[in-house]
Amino acid sequence: MADESYSFVVVSNRLPVDRVVDEAGNASWKQSPGGLVTALEPVMRAADGAWVGWAGQADLDLEPFDNAGIRIVPVPLSESDLELYYEGFSNDTLWPLYHDVIAQPSYHREWWERYVQVNRRFAEAVAGVSAPGATVWVQDYQLQLVPAMLREARPDLLIGFFNHIPFPAYGLYSQLPWRLQIIDGLLGADVVGFQRVADAGNFSRAVRRLRGYTTKSPVIEVPGVDDAPARRVIAKPFPISIDVAGFQELASRPEVQERARQIREDLGNPKTIMLGVDRLDYTKGITHRLKAFGELLADGSLSVEDVTLVQVATPSRERVESYRQLRDEIELAVGRINGDYGTISHQAISYLHHGFPREEMAALYLAADVMLVTALRDGMNLVAKEYVAARSDEDGVLILSEFAGASDELRAALLVNPHDIDGLKDTILRAIDMPRHERRKRMHSLRKKVAENDVSHWSDSFLATLRRARRTRAAWGGSGLPGEAEWTVERPPQS
């Protein structure tokens, strides 16, 4: 056991901090933006928690350190690790497979072997800082083998896993040569969380088909092997969300609202601003919305004098060939549409291939009359929820793909099938022409739903399920584990 140990440990591919080096070469750390950090920060502090992950830079071997009251435990990754484990198996095998094979997955044994090695490195780091009976929460598809590795090394631990991306139907998942190993890896957890009911169902079906275990939603019966006792694993949905109160406060700032007004003015004050905000990824349906918008301009249903599309495409995985090809395809389409339909004073599409700070994103949401979320497959899509949270004026229209996890909750959005270009065009026109009273009614409903299920609700719900799993294990005669009271966080009620 290491000299330091913690009762609550989170492990993710990336740490919740970014390393910043100033002009003088001095390094410091700043907290990464994101709802996961916001949701877990009070739990981490109450629990004397530690966060295990990669620091974001290759070949950087760092000692653990404290940041904003959280113990940070870096796991080093080499350039070779990044090529094989991260860009290779995680993002060129699992990512396309789990997103309905929108792009063809690649199956390489050396990628898999490195995925196993890196997952073991993460598991060893977690085991080394976890107190007896600690709660460990493993995050996302890059670390699917970690739960079983921890279970083997530290059977005293209470282990949760949350999959932030979809889990595919068995007909697709069965393509994976290492399908059994992944299933067994996930079944090392006491609770396996997913974004949607369908994802949890897909996982349970894969367990039945591949292992023959008894499943009765949400319980999976895992029989004992050798000296290990039989176990019950909970597999169910916990739809993730955002820091609603924080985003509302941000969008209400006078300087952000003034920036939104300036954005409209800079765009020529068109009647309608449509907005797309995406990581540049083939799952996001960016080309589909560009095609629909281009056809609406071509057939005269829309004019560049009246409607502008702002497309933010944040750079992503630029060393992966399929992503380089996608960028070329998108920029070619943007150039063609602007060349065909733009005028001296009006551009059809304002295309921005870089990231923006949260303040600028909030201003863009306030400036946009129509938000376009046309993902071909998405675990959740938090952009849709951010747009809703920003609109305290109860205006604006959300067009949302039915293939995004957010569509399960945000039923008052205009739901679309992005593959149906004609249907998408009709929905865009409906959004632009929607009467004010209907916009307000829909946005009021959306805002109520988002406020009820913020990111704190998500984390509290998952951790409460883990605590129940601890009691169930004790009732089954499992090892006597320390109680959870020392890290249960009482949150103030949401206003």
Side-chain angles (χ1 to χ4, degrees), residues 288 291-292 295-296 299 416-429:
H288 294 63
K291 182 175 179 61
E295 289 188 8
L296 287 168
D299 63 25
V416 295
N417 173 1
H419 299 283
D420 176 8
I421 300 299
D422 286 336
L424 179 54
K425 289 163 61 178
D426 290 342
T427 304
I428 290 173
L429 293 176

Side-chain angles (χ1 to χ4, degrees), residues 274-278 289 309-313 370-372:
M274 298 196 300
L275 175 65
V277 175
D278 309 90
R289 82 182 61 138
L309 171 61
V310 178
Q311 176 61 57
V312 177
V370 178
M371 184 79 214
L372 285 166

Side-chain angles (χ1 to χ4, degrees), residues 61-315:
D61 198 351
L62 301 168
E63 291 297 315
F65 60 93
D66 292 314
N67 185 82
I70 298 173
R71 191 62 168 170
I72 300 295
V73 182
V75 174
L77 295 179
S78 67
E79 281 286 356
S80 178
D81 291 332
L82 294 176
E83 179 185 352
L84 302 177
Y85 145 79
Y86 183 70
E87 295 172 356
F89 195 78
S90 294
N91 292 326
D92 210 6
T93 299
L94 293 176
W95 181 269
L97 178 67
Y98 282 33
H99 287 84
D100 291 354
V101 194
I102 294 169
Q104 185 61 40
S106 300
Y107 303 116
H108 297 297
R109 285 168 289 182
E110 62 268 35
W111 290 2
W112 163 252
E113 290 164 2
R114 188 61 61 88
Y115 184 81
V116 175
Q117 292 170 14
V118 172
N119 270 244
R120 190 165 299 283
R121 195 180 311 158
F122 275 87
E124 289 170 351
V126 172
V129 298
S130 297
T135 295
V136 176
W137 194 358
V138 186
Q139 305 288 334
D140 224 0
Y141 66 104
Q142 301 97 342
L143 302 176
Q144 291 176 105
L145 304 181
V146 168
M149 292 173 172
L150 284 175
R151 176 74 52 201
E152 181 180 8
R154 294 286 305 277
D156 59 301
L157 298 177
L158 186 67
I159 304 167
F161 179 92
F162 185 76
N163 198 50
H164 291 255
I165 68 173
F167 194 90
Y170 181 76
L172 295 176
Y173 181 75
S174 62
Q175 296 180 21
L176 184 64
W178 307 281
R179 57 197 186 183
L180 268 173
Q181 292 94 319
I182 295 289
I183 288 292
D184 289 345
L186 293 172
L187 288 175
D190 294 285
V191 176
V192 185
F194 299 92
Q195 299 280 26
R196 310 180 81 168
V197 172
D199 297 324
N202 287 342
F203 175 70
S204 294
R205 279 187 286 276
V207 170
R208 287 198 303 272
R209 295 286 295 272
L210 293 170
R211 281 300 184 208
Y213 297 164
T214 299
T215 68
K216 186 176 181 181
S217 181
V219 176
I220 298 173
E221 307 279 0
V222 179
V225 178
D226 298 328
D227 295 331
R231 300 170 42 245
R232 284 185 171 179
V233 175
I234 302 298
K236 61 178 290 189
F238 300 88
I240 199 170
S241 193
I242 63 170
D243 175 16
V244 176
F247 216 89
Q248 287 177 336
E249 186 278 327
L250 181 66
S252 68
R253 295 178 188 173
E255 64 271 22
V256 172
Q257 296 184 352
E258 171 59 25
R259 176 59 186 149
R261 187 199 63 77
Q262 184 65 48
I263 288 171
R264 292 195 71 94
E265 186 173 306
D266 290 346
L267 291 169
N269 284 316
K271 292 179 181 177
T272 302
I273 294 175
M274 298 196 300
L275 175 65
V277 175
D278 309 90
R279 195 167 50 79
L280 202 152
D281 192 287
Y282 48 74
T283 64
K284 302 300 184 181
I286 300 172
T287 56
H288 294 63
R289 82 182 61 138
L290 292 177
K291 182 175 179 61
F293 183 53
E295 289 188 8
L296 287 168
L297 293 172
D299 63 25
S301 300
L302 298 179
S303 71
V304 293
E305 287 79 15
D306 293 334
V307 181
T308 296
L309 171 61
V310 178
Q311 176 61 57
V312 177
T314 306

Side-chain angles (χ1 to χ4, degrees), residues 343-393:
T343 67
I344 293 294
S345 55
H346 293 90
Q347 196 173 24
I349 302 172
S350 179
Y351 175 73
L352 306 162
H353 182 245
H354 50 88
F356 289 98
R358 293 176 73 245
E359 292 81 3
E360 185 74 359
M361 292 311 308
L364 281 167
Y365 294 144
L366 290 173
D369 303 288
V370 178
M371 184 79 214
L372 285 166
V373 178
T374 57
L376 307 181
R377 190 77 166 94
D378 218 334
M380 178 54 61
N381 195 284
L382 297 180
V383 164
K385 294 187 175 184
E386 289 178 352
Y387 179 71
V388 170
R391 300 309 300 242
S392 58
D393 59 354

